[in-house]
Amino acid sequence: MAVDPDHSIEEILRHTHPYDALPADTLAALARTANCREVAEDEVIYALGEPVDALCLIVSGEVRISDADGELVLILGPGNFFGERGLMRDGFAPVAAIAAAPTELIAIAADSFHALVADHSVVRRFFDRTRTQTSKRNDITTMALSEVMTRDPLTCGPDATVREAARAMRDARVSCILVCDGPGVDGLLTTRDLTAVLADALPVDTKVTEVMTAAPITLPPDALISDVLHLMVERGITHLPVTENADLKGILTQTDLTRVQATSSASMIRDVAQASDAAALARITAVIPDLLVQLVGGHNAHQVVTRLITDIADAVTRRLLTLAEAKLGPPPVPYLWLACGSQGRQEQTGVSDQDNCLILSDDATPDDDAYFSALASFVCNGLDAAGYVFCPGDMMATNPRWRQPRNVWQGYFDRWINKPDPKAQMLASVMFDLRPIGGETALFESLQAETLAAASKNSIFVAHMVSNSLKHHPPLGLFRGLATIRGGEHKNSIDLKHNGVVPVVDLGRIYALQGQIAAVNTRARLDAAAAVGAVSPTGGRDLIDAYDVIAEARLEHQAALIKQGAKPDNFMVPASLSDFERSHLRDAFMVIKTMQSAAGSRGGPLT
């Protein structure tokens, strides 16, 4: 049955986000200009590269979305939009849309769509997948209490005595205790109150209810730090319980504020540079989860967050090298310590192991390896103690294979390039992300340039690298939109690392190889690849936008776990997301799928 354009289009849009947020008169006007389309099964709605004249909302039926090679990417059902990528980009379809069954659509003309995007921020935010390249100022006063507060504060019941409360505070090393008779907060007892107890010579078995601050001022988790500062100045308070719907969620103290102000990558690196041993370094890096939460809560761009987190790992590594030389004596020959993996790309998050190697001067003799073996053990053990766990694949300088003179490394790369096989491709992929951390950088500079030049000219090697880069697939399902893990510990989740970030990292590495780009950071590689023509400007821009969406979702997921007191991981449950967030993720994965398909079919420059 056809949609009645005088009533049903408006009714459908009123219950469809983001149009449900439009003013009534705007929605009514939009409904009058929208059209109903009926398309037959297998009818092409638009083909790849054709002009897109409307944003389409599926009312009934199904639409197949196919990539540049005709490979099915997604099947969309009722309630889904399509066409927005072409409209938001250059007006031409980046994918093909074909009816999979008799289908009814509501079509919003391109000019109406662009007018809504220009005039209504809710529509613009929903359909604009791009991310700003400059981070917002990480001002503590604009952070929410939930980003800073202490969770699970110390509590006691109303029948507790002053002695019992004081002992509990002493044992927990805190300056206050909350008195609770249920899920809410009845009172607050601080060290200042205990001082008054002593001054007035009150008995130690006095009930806390007699000396506590009853019904203390509280704020909700989404209040701003500025609200707390204003209250502390105005009321002279130093402790503020955080409640939501009268339920206790945490507490914020002046100590918490001081801790947050002191938690910065700069202050941590300063402390790292002065650390006397590995144990001291471990105490410093233990604060990294708090820093990640603070940086994400401050709305910093993902590339800023991961760069600052990686800077700390670099500083820890250099400090361990200094401590190792102090213990072992000067090195017998020049050396260079390099990082690969996420540290090499400056993309570390809250979940990172260590990947590293040593390049030695060609003057090194077999006898010199005893020194460098000891140095590698000292540094790798220190990194492990600091939370950078040992590489499961033994890609570390403690492995003699990855602790060799420069000419041996040159031989490694030559063999990988001239005799490519699956293992060689895996090793080359890891080692193309090398970045110097400490030592004689000249040992690597010419090696990198020579390797990139040789690799880019070997078409067979490039083809193998392209094939290797397609092993990780974005989690796209046909009907449900996002394909989740079916069983095991992470059932019903998606792996934002291996099925989201890694495919983009692999594509970026291919671009760098084809364009002889020295950068190892993924985002820098994508930018440079577009500049030198290794990827089209449109393809590069789409992939950067997709990468931003996924990388930001990954960091927000990790920060949320840390705030809950859990270990950060990469497994996110899509059901926990809003329709808005799922739509953005799905579109990002579609971009990656399209770019992978282009890479696999051509084996050459990616479009």
Side-chain angles (χ1 to χ4, degrees):
M1 180 180 294
V3 172
D4 176 3
D6 294 328
H7 172 71
S8 294
I9 289 181
E10 182 176 351
E11 191 67 22
I12 291 171
L13 292 178
R14 183 178 293 114
H15 292 88
T16 303
H17 192 69
Y19 300 109
D20 56 354
L22 292 174
D25 57 345
T26 302
L27 182 64
L30 176 64
R32 287 193 296 271
T33 61
N35 297 310
C36 179
R37 292 183 184 175
E38 294 183 356
V39 293
E41 183 175 359
D42 294 328
E43 182 176 341
V44 178
I45 302 169
Y46 55 71
L48 178 74
E50 285 188 351
V52 179
D53 62 354
L55 174 75
C56 295
L57 169 64
I58 303 173
V59 178
S60 64
E62 293 175 350
V63 173
R64 296 194 302 266
I65 304 297
S66 301
D67 60 22
D69 299 301
E71 182 178 348
L72 182 64
V73 174
L74 199 63
I75 296 179
L76 301 178
N80 283 293
F81 287 105
F82 63 93
E84 72 276 12
R85 283 184 57 210
L87 291 172
M88 291 295 293
R89 191 170 64 172
D90 55 10
F92 294 92
V95 291
I98 303 172
T103 300
E104 190 173 26
L105 308 170
I106 291 176
I108 298 171
D111 55 351
S112 297
F113 172 77
H114 287 303
L116 287 171
V117 169
D119 297 339
H120 298 277
S121 60
V122 65
V123 178
R124 182 167 57 254
R125 286 196 303 268
F126 186 84
F127 289 112
D128 186 1
R129 270 52 174 176
T130 62
R131 292 293 186 268
T132 57
Q133 304 309 311
T134 57
S135 63
K136 300 177 183 177
R137 181 170 175 260
N138 190 19
D139 185 351
I140 183 177
T141 63
T142 62
M143 294 176 66
L145 270 61
S146 60
E147 309 289 343
V148 181
M149 68 184 186
T150 297
R151 298 173 187 275
D152 300 321
L154 185 66
T155 63
C156 68
D159 294 331
T161 65
V162 169
R163 181 200 295 269
E164 292 169 338
R167 285 177 172 172
M169 291 166 62
R170 178 200 63 190
D171 294 343
R173 297 183 179 181
V174 296
S175 59
C176 70
I177 189 169
L178 295 173
V179 182
C180 304
D181 187 16
V185 179
D186 297 317
L188 170 68
L189 185 72
T190 69
T191 51
R192 182 187 300 175
D193 298 319
L194 294 178
T195 301
V197 170
L198 288 173
D200 294 338
L202 296 178
V204 293
D205 58 356
T206 300
K207 298 293 185 184
V208 291
T209 52
E210 297 181 30
V211 295
M212 71 182 187
T213 299
I217 298 171
T218 66
L219 283 176
D222 59 356
L224 302 180
I225 298 299
S226 58
D227 298 327
V228 177
L229 296 174
H230 295 161
L231 280 174
M232 287 182 170
V233 172
E234 181 181 353
R235 304 291 185 90
I237 59 178
T238 56
H239 301 75
L240 189 110
V242 181
T243 62
E244 186 173 34
N245 299 324
D247 292 344
L248 176 63
K249 297 298 181 182
I251 192 165
L252 192 73
T253 69
Q254 287 184 334
T255 301
D256 292 320
L257 296 177
T258 301
R259 172 180 53 79
V260 172
Q261 289 174 318
T263 302
S264 69
S265 59
S267 63
M268 292 176 69
I269 288 174
R270 178 199 62 211
D271 294 341
V272 164
Q274 300 171 356
S276 59
D277 53 29
L281 291 170
R283 288 192 292 271
I284 297 166
T285 55
V287 186
I288 287 178
D290 292 334
L291 176 63
L292 187 143
V293 169
Q294 181 178 330
L295 291 171
V296 173
H299 306 290
N300 290 280
H302 71 89
Q303 65 268 27
V304 173
V305 177
T306 54
R307 172 63 183 269
L308 294 177
I309 296 295
T310 305
D311 284 349
I312 297 170
D314 291 353
V316 170
T317 305
R318 284 190 288 269
R319 184 57 181 165
L320 286 168
L321 288 170
T322 298
L323 293 173
E325 289 189 20
K327 176 182 179 181
L328 302 172
V333 296
Y335 72 90
L336 177 62
W337 185 282
L338 304 97
C340 46
S342 60
Q343 184 184 359
R345 297 189 304 273
Q346 296 177 302
E347 295 166 5
Q348 286 191 314
T349 67
V351 185
S352 297
D353 59 5
Q354 56 174 292
D355 299 278
N356 47 61
C357 63
L358 272 171
I359 298 179
L360 311 180
S361 166
D362 286 338
D363 294 331
T365 66
D367 292 340
D368 294 330
D369 187 60
Y371 177 93
F372 291 110
S373 175
L375 181 138
S377 295
F378 185 95
V379 175
C380 290
N381 288 335
L383 288 171
D384 180 67
Y388 306 99
V389 298
F390 294 126
C391 173
D394 201 21
M395 191 74 69
M396 298 181 296
T398 49
N399 183 337
R401 186 178 185 185
W402 311 127
R403 186 179 67 244
Q404 292 291 335
R406 185 192 180 283
N407 58 48
V408 174
W409 277 98
Q410 182 69 70
Y412 287 164
F413 281 107
D414 289 345
R415 285 194 297 276
W416 294 337
I417 293 169
N418 296 322
K419 296 181 180 180
D421 59 42
K423 185 175 182 180
Q425 297 309 305
M426 183 274 292
L427 294 174
S429 294
V430 173
M431 292 306 175
F432 273 131
D433 293 348
L434 286 174
R435 182 172 60 87
I437 302 298
E440 184 55 62
T441 58
L443 290 171
F444 180 66
E445 290 171 352
S446 59
L447 176 63
Q448 181 189 39
E450 292 167 8
T451 300
L452 281 173
S456 64
K457 296 174 183 177
N458 188 318
S459 59
I460 297 177
F461 175 76
V462 171
H464 278 277
M465 286 290 287
V466 170
S467 176
N468 188 66
S469 73
L470 304 180
K471 292 181 178 179
H472 295 95
H473 306 287
L476 286 170
L478 294 182
F479 294 97
R480 295 173 60 190
L482 295 175
T484 60
I485 298 171
R486 294 184 178 180
E489 179 184 359
H490 304 295
K491 183 179 180 180
N492 297 326
S493 68
I494 57 177
D495 187 342
L496 289 173
K497 177 182 177 181
H498 290 100
N499 299 115
V501 170
V502 169
V504 183
V505 170
D506 289 342
L507 288 172
R509 190 181 297 113
I510 296 300
Y511 296 143
L513 175 60
Q514 293 172 328
Q516 297 187 41
I517 297 166
V520 293
N521 175 265
T522 298
R523 219 173 181 284
R525 280 172 165 171
L526 297 178
D527 281 332
V532 302
V535 62
S536 70
T538 298
R541 184 171 66 247
D542 279 355
L543 198 54
I544 288 174
D545 290 345
Y547 182 52
D548 288 347
V549 169
I550 298 167
E552 287 177 11
R554 181 189 184 199
L555 286 177
E556 289 167 1
H557 167 71
Q558 292 186 3
L561 289 176
I562 293 169
K563 288 190 289 183
Q564 295 167 14
K567 288 186 62 175
D569 62 29
N570 297 299
F571 299 94
M572 186 182 69
V573 178
S576 66
L577 303 175
S578 66
D579 289 343
F580 171 84
E581 292 167 326
R582 280 196 298 273
S583 174
H584 277 55
L585 268 180
R586 185 196 69 197
D587 282 0
F589 291 137
M590 285 181 63
V591 169
I592 297 171
K593 176 67 174 177
T594 300
M595 299 299 284
Q596 284 186 324
S597 180
S601 64
R602 294 175 178 85
L606 310 180
T607 59

